[in-house]
Amino acid sequence: MKSKILSIALAALVVAAAFTFVGKEVKVDTKTSEIAWVGKKVTGQHNGTVAIKGGALEVENGVIKGGEFTIDMTTINVLDLEGEYKGKLEGHLRSDDFFSVEKHPTATFKITSVNESEQKDATHFISGDLTIKGITNKITFPANVTLNGDKVNAKATFALDRTKWNVRYGSGSFFDGLGDKMIYDDFELSVNLSSL
């Protein structure tokens, strides 16, 4: 009797294992993945990059189920300036006027949902929690995601309102009389993410 119960239990475990799929963690390739940014003001704009320090995607049956990424804020780089002006702007962006990099050297993005899109210019909508300067806000943006076996590539371009993360320097929403020194609240991010 005991051996019969043991056999049934073992058979049940084998069947359960056959129908249970454990999601795979796919690591981000930090050498090829990057975030480009554009910040605009009344008199022009600046652009640059910031590096992805690390992260991983959770992939299950060819579908992205989640993931988390760390952004290295100490790598804020200005591409449209050179020399002294480049150094000054990078220093200002890293200061407490903007991203307080000394106090908050990293930012994080944690995916909470990935949904297919019916739009022509995006395959998915990605939602998650973006933490900058210790402040977390939920964001959703369209992205083009391709999966080829264990390889994942995702590209997305979207705008964020910097004031939601207490980055208010030069914001016309908070300060009067800025004139042509006003910096627009929205800044644009272009994310290119590849897996190893």
Side-chain angles (χ1 to χ4, degrees), residues 145-157:
V145 180
T146 55
L147 288 98
N148 186 5
D150 291 338
K151 289 278 188 183
V152 180
N153 184 265
K155 293 184 179 181
T157 299

Side-chain angles (χ1 to χ4, degrees), residues 84-167:
E84 179 186 352
Y85 293 108
K86 172 182 169 72
K88 280 185 176 179
L89 181 54
E90 288 173 353
H92 197 194
L93 290 172
R94 292 172 188 160
S95 76
D96 289 342
D97 281 344
F98 284 93
F99 294 103
S100 302
V101 170
E102 191 173 326
K103 296 174 194 164
H104 305 282
T106 61
T108 59
F109 179 63
K110 184 173 184 179
I111 296 172
T112 55
S113 69
V114 179
N115 297 299
E116 289 188 8
S117 166
E118 294 180 4
Q119 292 184 353
K120 284 192 276 185
D121 56 348
T123 60
H124 294 79
F125 280 103
I126 297 175
S127 297
D129 297 325
L130 178 62
T131 303
I132 301 173
K133 293 176 68 174
I135 300 166
T136 302
N137 285 294
K138 293 190 178 301
I139 63 169
T140 299
F141 55 87
N144 282 300
V145 180
T146 55
L147 288 98
N148 186 5
D150 291 338
K151 289 278 188 183
V152 180
N153 184 265
K155 293 184 179 181
T157 299
F158 55 96
L160 293 177
D161 179 352
R162 64 191 174 97
T163 64
K164 290 183 177 178
W165 288 271
N166 198 28
V167 181

Side-chain angles (χ1 to χ4, degrees), residues 23 28 38 41 44 51 58 60-61 84 91 114 116 125 130 168 185:
V28 172
V38 177
K41 53 186 181 176
E58 297 164 24
E60 185 175 318
N61 294 330
E84 179 186 352
V114 179
E116 289 188 8
F125 280 103
L130 178 62
R168 297 177 177 178
D185 292 343

Side-chain angles (χ1 to χ4, degrees), residues 18 50 66 70 74-75 89 145 157:
V50 62
T70 302
T74 68
T75 66
L89 181 54
V145 180
T157 299

Side-chain angles (χ1 to χ4, degrees), residues 31-86:
K31 291 180 182 175
T32 59
S33 300
E34 190 174 61
I35 300 171
W37 56 266
V38 177
K40 297 181 180 179
K41 53 186 181 176
V42 173
T43 56
Q45 66 180 44
H46 293 291
N47 68 284
T49 59
V50 62
I52 296 174
K53 187 174 184 178
L57 290 164
E58 297 164 24
V59 179
E60 185 175 318
N61 294 330
V63 178
I64 296 173
K65 293 292 187 180
E68 189 163 359
F69 310 96
T70 302
I71 301 150
D72 186 351
M73 299 301 287
T74 68
T75 66
I76 292 174
N77 182 28
V78 175
L79 296 177
D80 64 302
L81 296 174
E82 293 180 356
E84 179 186 352
Y85 293 108
K86 172 182 169 72

